[in-house]
Amino acid sequence: SFLWFSLLAAVSYFSMALLSLLALLPLAQAAQNVFIPFNAKAQEQPVISDANDANPGDHVTEVDITLCEVLLVAHDSELDVKASQYSRSYLLGADVACSNVIMDASTLSVGGPTIKVKPGDQMRITLFNNLPASNRGFEWANTQSLNNTYHDVHITGLHTHGLHISGEAPGDSIFTSVYPKGSDPSLCPEYDEGTDPKSCSVGSHTFNYRIPAVHMGGTFWYHPHPPGSTALQAGGGAAGMIIVEDMPGDLPTVVAEMEEHVMSMISVTF
């Protein structure tokens, strides 16, 4: 009797599971019907290294990037559907004019430039904050007192993932704030000159990263990390790849001679 009871219980459980799946089918079909494929094509990002930066051969990879607010526009001609979304993006170059920048999502070059550096070298990134200094003509509200919610959406910073480097300024400090160009300099709070003299900047800030000589090669990444708006900026498309190159002999020859392809995927919701 126990065996029959077990069999009946198993059949009953299976039937309930099957009915549940059948009930979900219309929802899945509905979800498929509203999905709009915009046929986005992958674009290659520029690669900056000590070999092709402003001062080649000095063991310092120097990169200028500008954080911009951009308007992503996606259009599907077959369905005659258009969608747009304000987002964030890194553009290669110093103080790039990015007002009214419109990007076609079907040919979007997602993220910032790929930065290559060797163990023992330095990586110097100058970040320009060209996000709007005002909210469509209105001053940004002071939201610095808020916690555990979005705030200070116009302030940015820079952070790397995976690198074994110092977390203090002028390096990989998440507490270094960069206000938009044109902001009132008095917005930057005062800091003790003896401990952290450059934890706040207006317009731009230069981050210096020293890569240890014993650092392992690998693929890492960088993105904004301002408290209160990291998700809005990094999730909006502002991110880039960092490659620490392998030293000769670190990898088997068959692996070292393989062709490299850097691939990053960022999802921007419309």
Side-chain angles (χ1 to χ4, degrees):
S1 58
F2 177 77
L3 178 61
W4 279 109
F5 177 79
S6 300
L7 289 174
L8 288 173
V11 171
S12 176
Y13 179 81
F14 176 77
S15 300
M16 292 176 62
L18 181 60
L19 289 173
S20 299
L21 288 174
L22 290 174
L24 289 174
L25 281 178
L27 295 177
Q29 184 62 38
Q32 291 177 3
N33 290 338
V34 299
F35 176 72
I36 304 172
F38 288 106
N39 302 319
K41 300 178 181 179
Q43 303 291 310
E44 290 189 8
Q45 297 290 47
V47 179
I48 308 298
S49 69
D50 183 37
N52 65 351
D53 66 358
N55 299 290
D58 61 354
H59 300 285
V60 180
T61 300
E62 300 178 75
V63 186
D64 294 333
I65 55 175
T66 302
L67 179 63
C68 292
E69 181 182 75
V70 299
L71 180 64
L72 301 182
V73 177
H75 180 251
D76 190 294
S77 57
E78 295 182 3
L79 299 178
D80 193 24
V81 176
K82 179 179 288 187
S84 61
Q85 170 69 45
Y86 278 102
S87 187
R88 304 287 187 264
S89 183
Y90 284 134
L91 302 183
L92 178 62
D95 196 17
V96 177
C98 52
S99 59
N100 300 319
V101 173
I102 300 176
M103 291 186 172
D104 184 351
S106 64
T107 57
L108 176 63
S109 181
V110 177
T114 296
I115 303 172
K116 278 192 172 185
V117 64
K118 295 180 179 180
D121 286 359
Q122 294 185 50
M123 181 172 64
R124 184 176 300 151
I125 303 177
T126 299
L127 170 63
F128 293 82
N129 183 357
N130 279 5
L131 294 178
S134 62
N135 186 11
R136 307 297 185 265
F138 296 93
E139 291 187 4
W140 290 104
N142 189 342
T143 56
Q144 290 185 349
S145 61
L146 297 178
N147 293 304
N148 300 320
T149 187
Y150 293 124
H151 60 86
D152 297 327
V153 297
H154 58 304
I155 302 173
T156 193
L158 197 64
H159 179 48
T160 69
H161 267 246
L163 295 178
H164 293 265
I165 55 178
S166 171
E168 298 181 355
D172 198 22
S173 172
I174 64 171
F175 301 109
T176 298
S177 299
V178 186
Y179 281 73
K181 180 177 65 173
S183 299
D184 183 353
S186 66
L187 291 173
C188 283
E190 294 295 330
Y191 285 87
D192 184 351
E193 289 290 332
T195 59
D196 207 354
K198 294 184 178 180
S199 289
C200 188
S201 300
V202 171
S204 66
H205 186 87
T206 298
F207 297 81
N208 288 286
Y209 308 90
R210 295 182 178 274
I211 311 301
V214 294
H215 202 293
M216 178 177 286
T219 303
F220 311 94
W221 65 298
Y222 63 92
H223 66 86
H225 201 300
S229 56
T230 299
L232 291 174
Q233 296 180 19
M241 308 301 293
I242 299 173
I243 297 178
V244 177
E245 298 187 70
D246 296 291
M247 298 301 288
D250 284 353
L251 297 176
T253 303
V254 65
V255 176
E257 293 180 351
M258 293 177 66
E259 184 178 358
E260 288 188 357
H261 293 278
V262 179
M263 182 175 65
S264 61
M265 293 179 287
I266 299 175
S267 174
V268 179
T269 303
F270 286 86

